[in-house]
Amino acid sequence: MPATRDPRQAGPAADKLSSMLSGSGGGTDRFRLAGAHGTYTRRQLLTAAGRLTERLRGHGLGPGDRVLALLDHDARGVVFLAAASALGLRVLMPYNLSAAALPEWRSIAADAHPDAVVHLRAGADHHRLAEVRALAASAVFLDPRDGLDEPGRDLDEQDARPLPVEHPEPVAHFLTLFTSGSTGAPKAVSVSEALVCRRVRSVSGRLGFDADARVFMSGLLNNTTGVIFSFGALLHDARLVLPSGRDPGAWPAEVARHRATHIMLRPRALRRFVESARAGETDLTCLRTVAYGAAALPRPLLEQARLLMPCDWVQGYGLSETYGPFCWLDESAHRSPGRLRHSYCVGRPDDTVELRVEPLPGHPPEVGEILLRGDAVMEGYLDVASGRIRAPGAWLRTGDLGAWSPEGDLLLKGRINGTVMSADGHRIYPAEVEGVLSTLDGVRDVVLLGLTGSDTPAERPVACVSGPLAARTPGALRAAVRAALGGVLSREKWPDLLYATTVPFPRGSNDKVLRAEVARQIEHAALIQL
């Protein structure tokens, strides 16, 4: 009898999301998906995926077809990605949006001209079906007979069949992620299915997923966390817990109820999660691993969270171009005061990439652009008009500035185009200043901007903070900020000015602070000279 392939090992079959849904075939099907409509087995989801595959094929879709997927972040989305893998479809989606609006879908469709649109959203947009149909030449809508509106309700385990795989090889250009990126300039990132599966294996292994894990899917299926956590749970025969909604304040109670062991939270979501857990005195000792990333985490918030959740903490630094994190600050680093003293330390790269810091003119010799190469890098940027993929070349230039600490950790300094030159010729790095000021009590958000005034054409570095701290007098604000900066940064690295407001900073649909909007809202009369 032939040996059964272990899907956690590399190879063509392992580089398929459809294979991760099918499982190893070793008879250890412990996977369960717990969602708002009940708990479902791997076999029930396979039945749903098989039905969906047949439905998509019945609409004439097959290998290489480009599909604009309107999906919710639930079992339907998980099943759809597995079905797309089995059919060899290429999926287009906006990156990291919890609920894209129809104008955003229209924008992608107008640029990319997909072969079809697949509508998987439960009830949403159904009052605008004509507009959805206009997004592509063909439109596929799910209905209750697909067994996906409430996954598992009408899925008989006795009727489960293997998922029919029409395209057994990993799909090239499997995902096209439309993202604004850190610069705000639109990008279309092309990611192979092989890369997605490699990231599922490497990240889920790094975070300690196993058959006893209960993985809380806090991410989205159009970002890396949602796919890695969902298919990572499938890969390891773990339990996958889908939250009932997108409010992090409701998640502590759900984590406790399901006895979840793993969760990933962005800093803003973590703040809301911690506030809710403390108010409800929620017992979160079930957690084994908390991961975080995407932005610097204020030290006071990290300390509060670690007391509330005394488990292993892991910070991951990654890009959409690498489909997930490749640099890690593990629990041992969190216990090391020396390593955490740096303002934005993201730890050490794993073995999936080769990383170097390339010196740049006009910067100190130790600071440069972070460059990557290896198998864990995207296929390239898609030029939507021509359909051509622009490969990253020998090295992927990230646009991020970094340096190595004496301990060998990577320190982020900000974006190349985000640094500001002070009046006396010193380059101010946003990540350094933002990391320091985020530790102040009463600061919710902080960004460093270059502000051009009518009195001078040169940019002046301005630290902008929002939160209760802004209610203090200008003198008290100046004293608090000077004391914080003075304990960490030399005077040459300070901003010239401070702007403080109790009004939250505007954020985009990807939850990042809109720096340009903050700059427009600055009241020059309220600026405080540091």
Side-chain angles (χ1 to χ4, degrees):
M1 192 173 170
T4 301
R5 176 185 292 275
D6 183 347
R8 285 168 288 186
Q9 303 302 315
D15 285 342
K16 297 286 295 177
L17 292 182
S18 55
S19 294
M20 291 186 180
L21 177 58
S22 296
S24 65
T28 59
D29 185 8
R30 300 175 57 177
F31 172 84
R32 295 289 187 275
L33 184 149
H37 301 295
T39 299
Y40 315 107
T41 68
R42 183 192 300 271
R43 291 179 178 84
Q44 289 173 320
L45 293 183
L46 276 169
T47 299
R51 292 182 185 180
L52 178 56
T53 301
E54 292 170 1
R55 180 88 182 276
L56 295 171
R57 188 186 292 113
H59 278 261
L61 295 177
D65 285 334
R66 299 162 71 246
V67 171
L68 179 60
L70 281 67
L71 52 79
D72 287 326
H73 310 284
D74 55 14
R76 287 181 300 271
V78 174
V79 165
F80 168 75
L81 289 176
S85 165
L87 275 177
L89 302 181
R90 296 174 177 176
V91 181
L92 316 176
M93 60 177 69
Y95 181 69
N96 203 33
L97 299 184
S98 59
L102 269 174
E104 292 167 306
W105 296 118
R106 279 197 295 268
S107 176
I108 294 175
D111 289 340
H113 304 290
D115 298 300
V117 56
V118 176
H119 192 287
L120 299 103
R121 301 180 69 183
D125 300 331
H126 277 276
H127 64 294
R128 305 174 74 176
L129 293 186
E131 294 182 64
V132 173
R133 291 184 187 280
L135 294 175
S138 175
V140 182
F141 292 87
L142 297 187
D143 57 36
R145 70 175 181 272
D146 290 296
L148 291 170
D149 283 340
E150 293 190 6
R153 286 293 188 186
D154 63 345
L155 304 179
D156 188 343
E157 290 211 35
Q158 301 304 315
D159 296 333
R161 302 186 302 272
L163 176 61
V165 178
E166 186 169 321
H167 194 281
E169 296 298 315
V171 181
H173 319 311
F174 179 58
L175 297 180
T176 300
L177 307 172
F178 290 81
T179 170
S180 63
S182 300
T183 64
K187 297 186 297 184
V189 177
S190 180
V191 179
S192 70
E193 185 179 13
L195 174 56
V196 173
C197 292
R198 288 182 198 131
R199 277 290 173 228
V200 170
R201 287 195 299 272
S202 64
V203 175
S204 64
R206 185 88 189 196
L207 297 179
F209 286 18
D210 58 28
D212 295 323
R214 297 181 183 89
V215 178
F216 193 87
M217 204 277 272
S218 58
L220 306 171
L221 287 174
N222 56 22
N223 73 11
T224 57
T225 301
V227 173
I228 289 171
F229 271 49
S230 297
F231 284 89
L234 282 160
L235 179 68
H236 293 275
D237 256 341
R239 177 180 287 253
L240 177 63
V241 179
L242 300 181
S244 59
R246 300 306 311 165
D247 177 13
W251 292 349
E254 295 185 55
V255 166
R257 183 169 66 254
H258 290 282
R259 305 298 295 163
T261 60
H262 293 73
I263 190 171
M264 188 277 178
L265 294 163
R266 291 170 177 262
R268 189 161 178 251
L270 179 61
R271 185 186 298 278
R272 176 86 175 99
F273 185 93
V274 167
E275 290 172 347
S276 176
R278 293 178 70 182
E281 299 183 350
T282 310
D283 179 5
L284 297 173
T285 55
C286 55
L287 286 166
R288 285 168 25 192
T289 302
V290 176
Y292 66 96
L297 185 62
R299 188 69 51 78
L301 175 58
L302 176 61
E303 292 171 354
Q304 291 175 19
R306 280 175 62 81
L307 286 174
L308 188 66
M309 294 169 273
C311 58
D312 285 351
W313 282 73
V314 181
Q315 181 187 24
Y317 161 62
L319 310 164
S320 54
E321 290 88 343
T322 60
Y323 204 76
F326 55 83
C327 208
W328 303 91
L329 195 72
D330 60 15
E331 174 61 22
S332 65
H334 282 82
R335 294 174 180 268
S336 172
R339 294 176 68 182
L340 284 181
R341 74 175 184 273
H342 304 289
S343 59
Y344 197 172
C345 175
V346 293
R348 296 168 184 173
D350 59 27
D351 59 4
T352 65
V353 296
E354 183 181 351
L355 184 154
R356 68 185 175 100
V357 174
E358 182 179 86
L360 291 173
H363 294 264
E366 71 275 9
V367 176
E369 184 178 8
I370 300 170
L371 274 59
L372 304 170
R373 69 179 178 187
D375 291 337
V377 174
M378 65 172 183
E379 295 163 309
Y381 295 113
L382 171 68
D383 179 77
V384 178
S386 67
R388 289 192 294 268
I389 302 290
R390 177 168 58 85
W395 291 85
L396 170 65
R397 311 191 73 93
T398 67
D400 284 341
L401 290 168
W404 296 107
S405 76
E407 297 85 5
D409 293 312
L410 182 64
L411 310 177
L412 293 187
K413 300 292 184 180
R415 299 288 295 174
I416 289 177
N417 57 3
T419 63
V420 183
M421 191 73 74
S422 68
D424 55 3
H426 290 279
R427 194 171 292 277
I428 311 297
Y429 293 101
E432 289 186 331
V433 174
E434 292 166 4
V436 172
L437 297 187
S438 68
T439 66
L440 285 171
D441 288 337
V443 169
R444 287 295 182 127
D445 287 308
V446 53
V447 294
L448 183 99
L449 302 173
L451 188 65
T452 302
S454 57
D455 57 335
T456 173
E459 286 187 321
R460 300 190 70 189
V462 182
C464 304
V465 299
S466 72
L469 180 79
R472 299 187 190 181
T473 65
L477 279 170
R478 181 188 295 109
V481 169
R482 288 176 63 92
L485 293 171
V488 180
L489 299 176
S490 63
R491 184 63 183 86
E492 293 83 1
K493 296 183 178 181
W494 291 16
D496 293 341
L497 302 165
L498 171 68
Y499 174 71
T501 176
T502 56
V503 178
F505 288 154
R507 291 178 177 272
S509 53
N510 62 2
D511 201 37
K512 293 181 180 178
V513 173
L514 299 174
R515 292 172 179 261
E517 289 296 320
V518 174
R520 278 192 282 271
Q521 293 178 10
I522 290 177
E523 301 172 20
H524 287 250
L527 290 170
I528 299 171
Q529 184 77 38
L530 291 176

mmCIF file of all heavy atoms in Angstrom, residues 62 95-96 136 143 154-155 174 212 222 228 259 267 273 275 295 305 350 398 418 420 434 477 480:
data_model
loop_
_atom_site.group_PDB
_atom_site.id
_atom_site.type_symbol
_atom_site.label_atom_id
_atom_site.label_comp_id
_atom_site.label_asym_id
_atom_site.label_seq_id
_atom_site.Cartn_x
_atom_site.Cartn_y
_atom_site.Cartn_z
ATOM 1 N N GLY A 62 -12.729 27.383 -15.209
ATOM 2 C CA GLY A 62 -11.730 26.337 -15.146
ATOM 3 C C GLY A 62 -10.343 26.921 -15.001
ATOM 4 O O GLY A 62 -10.180 28.127 -14.740
ATOM 5 N N TYR A 95 -6.876 43.770 -0.730
ATOM 6 C CA TYR A 95 -6.102 43.250 0.388
ATOM 7 C C TYR A 95 -6.540 43.887 1.701
ATOM 8 O O TYR A 95 -6.611 45.108 1.822
ATOM 9 C CB TYR A 95 -4.615 43.519 0.157
ATOM 10 C CG TYR A 95 -3.723 42.997 1.257
ATOM 11 C CD1 TYR A 95 -3.551 41.631 1.447
ATOM 12 C CD2 TYR A 95 -3.060 43.862 2.115
ATOM 13 C CE1 TYR A 95 -2.746 41.132 2.455
ATOM 14 C CE2 TYR A 95 -2.245 43.380 3.122
ATOM 15 C CZ TYR A 95 -2.091 42.018 3.284
ATOM 16 O OH TYR A 95 -1.293 41.538 4.292
ATOM 17 N N ASN A 96 -6.842 43.033 2.685
ATOM 18 C CA ASN A 96 -6.986 43.456 4.076
ATOM 19 C C ASN A 96 -8.166 44.381 4.324
ATOM 20 O O ASN A 96 -8.123 45.225 5.211
ATOM 21 C CB ASN A 96 -5.696 44.128 4.562
ATOM 22 C CG ASN A 96 -5.560 44.091 6.065
ATOM 23 O OD1 ASN A 96 -6.007 43.147 6.712
ATOM 24 N ND2 ASN A 96 -4.966 45.110 6.638
ATOM 25 N N ALA A 136 -18.517 41.709 -14.090
ATOM 26 C CA ALA A 136 -17.811 40.783 -14.968
ATOM 27 C C ALA A 136 -18.789 40.182 -15.963
ATOM 28 O O ALA A 136 -20.012 40.310 -15.818
ATOM 29 C CB ALA A 136 -17.139 39.679 -14.151
ATOM 30 N N ASP A 143 -26.520 30.044 -3.212
ATOM 31 C CA ASP A 143 -27.839 29.997 -2.602
ATOM 32 C C ASP A 143 -27.855 28.848 -1.601
ATOM 33 O O ASP A 143 -26.889 28.087 -1.498
ATOM 34 C CB ASP A 143 -28.935 29.851 -3.674
ATOM 35 C CG ASP A 143 -28.738 28.612 -4.542
ATOM 36 O OD1 ASP A 143 -28.296 27.578 -4.015
ATOM 37 O OD2 ASP A 143 -29.028 28.683 -5.743
ATOM 38 N N ASP A 154 -26.811 21.118 5.945
ATOM 39 C CA ASP A 154 -27.376 20.075 5.102
ATOM 40 C C ASP A 154 -26.285 19.201 4.504
ATOM 41 O O ASP A 154 -26.452 18.636 3.444
ATOM 42 C CB ASP A 154 -28.226 20.696 3.986
ATOM 43 C CG ASP A 154 -27.392 21.560 3.046
ATOM 44 O OD1 ASP A 154 -26.259 21.904 3.419
ATOM 45 O OD2 ASP A 154 -27.880 21.855 1.938
ATOM 46 N N LEU A 155 -25.158 19.099 5.184
ATOM 47 C CA LEU A 155 -24.027 18.335 4.672
ATOM 48 C C LEU A 155 -23.956 17.009 5.410
ATOM 49 O O LEU A 155 -23.612 16.952 6.586
ATOM 50 C CB LEU A 155 -22.725 19.121 4.864
ATOM 51 C CG LEU A 155 -22.717 20.525 4.242
ATOM 52 C CD1 LEU A 155 -21.387 21.205 4.517
ATOM 53 C CD2 LEU A 155 -22.985 20.468 2.755
ATOM 54 N N PHE A 174 -1.956 32.737 -8.231
ATOM 55 C CA PHE A 174 -3.189 32.286 -7.577
ATOM 56 C C PHE A 174 -3.970 33.448 -6.985
ATOM 57 O O PHE A 174 -5.183 33.544 -7.131
ATOM 58 C CB PHE A 174 -2.840 31.265 -6.501
ATOM 59 C CG PHE A 174 -4.022 30.730 -5.740
ATOM 60 C CD1 PHE A 174 -5.058 30.098 -6.401
ATOM 61 C CD2 PHE A 174 -4.091 30.837 -4.358
ATOM 62 C CE1 PHE A 174 -6.153 29.586 -5.709
ATOM 63 C CE2 PHE A 174 -5.171 30.334 -3.657
ATOM 64 C CZ PHE A 174 -6.207 29.711 -4.336
ATOM 65 N N ASP A 212 -3.894 19.663 19.162
ATOM 66 C CA ASP A 212 -4.607 20.096 20.367
ATOM 67 C C ASP A 212 -4.915 21.592 20.372
ATOM 68 O O ASP A 212 -5.518 22.101 21.311
ATOM 69 C CB ASP A 212 -3.782 19.750 21.613
ATOM 70 C CG ASP A 212 -3.639 18.248 21.806
ATOM 71 O OD1 ASP A 212 -4.619 17.529 21.515
ATOM 72 O OD2 ASP A 212 -2.556 17.802 22.229
ATOM 73 N N ASN A 222 -8.951 37.887 3.077
ATOM 74 C CA ASN A 222 -8.201 38.607 2.045
ATOM 75 C C ASN A 222 -6.940 39.241 2.623
ATOM 76 O O ASN A 222 -6.377 40.162 2.045
ATOM 77 C CB ASN A 222 -9.077 39.656 1.343
ATOM 78 C CG ASN A 222 -9.695 40.645 2.299
ATOM 79 O OD1 ASN A 222 -9.218 40.847 3.410
ATOM 80 N ND2 ASN A 222 -10.776 41.282 1.877
ATOM 81 N N ILE A 228 -3.636 31.999 6.690
ATOM 82 C CA ILE A 228 -2.644 31.186 7.397
ATOM 83 C C ILE A 228 -3.262 30.499 8.612
ATOM 84 O O ILE A 228 -3.023 29.316 8.865
ATOM 85 C CB ILE A 228 -1.442 32.051 7.800
ATOM 86 C CG1 ILE A 228 -0.636 32.437 6.557
ATOM 87 C CG2 ILE A 228 -0.550 31.331 8.804
ATOM 88 C CD1 ILE A 228 0.446 33.475 6.805
ATOM 89 N N ARG A 259 -12.140 28.155 24.657
ATOM 90 C CA ARG A 259 -10.834 27.755 25.182
ATOM 91 C C ARG A 259 -9.774 27.831 24.090
ATOM 92 O O ARG A 259 -8.953 26.936 23.882
ATOM 93 C CB ARG A 259 -10.872 26.344 25.776
ATOM 94 C CG ARG A 259 -11.921 26.131 26.851
ATOM 95 C CD ARG A 259 -11.687 27.023 28.055
ATOM 96 N NE ARG A 259 -10.435 26.697 28.747
ATOM 97 C CZ ARG A 259 -9.833 27.512 29.628
ATOM 98 N NH1 ARG A 259 -10.371 28.702 29.914
ATOM 99 N NH2 ARG A 259 -8.722 27.145 30.217
ATOM 100 N N PRO A 267 -1.971 45.868 16.808
ATOM 101 C CA PRO A 267 -1.928 46.703 18.021
ATOM 102 C C PRO A 267 -3.246 47.384 18.365
ATOM 103 O O PRO A 267 -3.648 47.403 19.529
ATOM 104 C CB PRO A 267 -0.825 47.715 17.692
ATOM 105 C CG PRO A 267 0.109 46.939 16.815
ATOM 106 C CD PRO A 267 -0.783 46.081 15.958
ATOM 107 N N PHE A 273 -9.162 44.670 22.686
ATOM 108 C CA PHE A 273 -9.278 43.338 23.275
ATOM 109 C C PHE A 273 -8.924 43.385 24.762
ATOM 110 O O PHE A 273 -9.646 42.836 25.613
ATOM 111 C CB PHE A 273 -8.340 42.383 22.524
ATOM 112 C CG PHE A 273 -8.430 40.943 22.918
ATOM 113 C CD1 PHE A 273 -9.261 40.075 22.234
ATOM 114 C CD2 PHE A 273 -7.657 40.436 23.949
ATOM 115 C CE1 PHE A 273 -9.332 38.734 22.582
ATOM 116 C CE2 PHE A 273 -7.722 39.105 24.310
ATOM 117 C CZ PHE A 273 -8.561 38.248 23.622
ATOM 118 N N GLU A 275 -8.816 46.058 26.817
ATOM 119 C CA GLU A 275 -9.772 46.867 27.575
ATOM 120 C C GLU A 275 -11.036 46.069 27.886
ATOM 121 O O GLU A 275 -11.550 46.112 29.013
ATOM 122 C CB GLU A 275 -10.126 48.124 26.773
ATOM 123 C CG GLU A 275 -8.990 49.123 26.669
ATOM 124 C CD GLU A 275 -9.299 50.257 25.708
ATOM 125 O OE1 GLU A 275 -10.278 50.144 24.935
ATOM 126 O OE2 GLU A 275 -8.540 51.253 25.707
ATOM 127 N N ALA A 295 2.504 46.923 13.200
ATOM 128 C CA ALA A 295 2.893 48.254 13.678
ATOM 129 C C ALA A 295 3.593 48.086 15.016
ATOM 130 O O ALA A 295 3.484 47.042 15.664
ATOM 131 C CB ALA A 295 1.667 49.165 13.826
ATOM 132 N N ALA A 305 -1.012 43.611 28.509
ATOM 133 C CA ALA A 305 -1.510 42.421 27.829
ATOM 134 C C ALA A 305 -0.794 41.163 28.307
ATOM 135 O O ALA A 305 -1.414 40.105 28.460
ATOM 136 C CB ALA A 305 -1.342 42.587 26.316
ATOM 137 N N ASP A 350 13.693 34.347 9.745
ATOM 138 C CA ASP A 350 13.688 32.888 9.760
ATOM 139 C C ASP A 350 14.433 32.367 8.530
ATOM 140 O O ASP A 350 15.070 33.143 7.797
ATOM 141 C CB ASP A 350 12.256 32.345 9.844
ATOM 142 C CG ASP A 350 11.371 32.807 8.686
ATOM 143 O OD1 ASP A 350 11.908 33.094 7.593
ATOM 144 O OD2 ASP A 350 10.147 32.874 8.865
ATOM 145 N N THR A 398 12.268 46.456 -0.269
ATOM 146 C CA THR A 398 11.042 46.603 0.522
ATOM 147 C C THR A 398 10.593 48.041 0.691
ATOM 148 O O THR A 398 9.421 48.292 0.984
ATOM 149 C CB THR A 398 11.235 46.002 1.931
ATOM 150 O OG1 THR A 398 12.187 46.790 2.652
ATOM 151 C CG2 THR A 398 11.724 44.561 1.845
ATOM 152 N N GLY A 418 9.557 58.309 4.073
ATOM 153 C CA GLY A 418 8.878 58.869 5.236
ATOM 154 C C GLY A 418 9.800 59.586 6.197
ATOM 155 O O GLY A 418 9.343 60.166 7.184
ATOM 156 N N VAL A 420 12.384 62.480 7.620
ATOM 157 C CA VAL A 420 12.345 63.939 7.552
ATOM 158 C C VAL A 420 13.716 64.479 7.964
ATOM 159 O O VAL A 420 14.306 64.016 8.944
ATOM 160 C CB VAL A 420 11.262 64.516 8.496
ATOM 161 C CG1 VAL A 420 11.189 66.030 8.365
ATOM 162 C CG2 VAL A 420 9.912 63.878 8.202
ATOM 163 N N GLU A 434 8.160 57.550 16.997
ATOM 164 C CA GLU A 434 6.842 56.981 17.267
ATOM 165 C C GLU A 434 6.919 55.895 18.338
ATOM 166 O O GLU A 434 6.043 55.793 19.201
ATOM 167 C CB GLU A 434 6.255 56.424 15.970
ATOM 168 C CG GLU A 434 5.905 57.503 14.956
ATOM 169 C CD GLU A 434 5.652 56.965 13.563
ATOM 170 O OE1 GLU A 434 5.667 55.723 13.386
ATOM 171 O OE2 GLU A 434 5.436 57.784 12.640
ATOM 172 N N LEU A 477 2.550 69.153 28.333
ATOM 173 C CA LEU A 477 2.787 68.299 27.168
ATOM 174 C C LEU A 477 4.251 68.337 26.760
ATOM 175 O O LEU A 477 4.876 67.300 26.502
ATOM 176 C CB LEU A 477 1.913 68.767 25.995
ATOM 177 C CG LEU A 477 0.458 68.321 25.986
ATOM 178 C CD1 LEU A 477 -0.312 69.066 24.906
ATOM 179 C CD2 LEU A 477 0.369 66.823 25.736
ATOM 180 N N ALA A 480 6.410 66.380 29.220
ATOM 181 C CA ALA A 480 6.250 64.928 29.129
ATOM 182 C C ALA A 480 6.953 64.369 27.904
ATOM 183 O O ALA A 480 7.639 63.338 27.968
ATOM 184 C CB ALA A 480 4.763 64.573 29.101
#
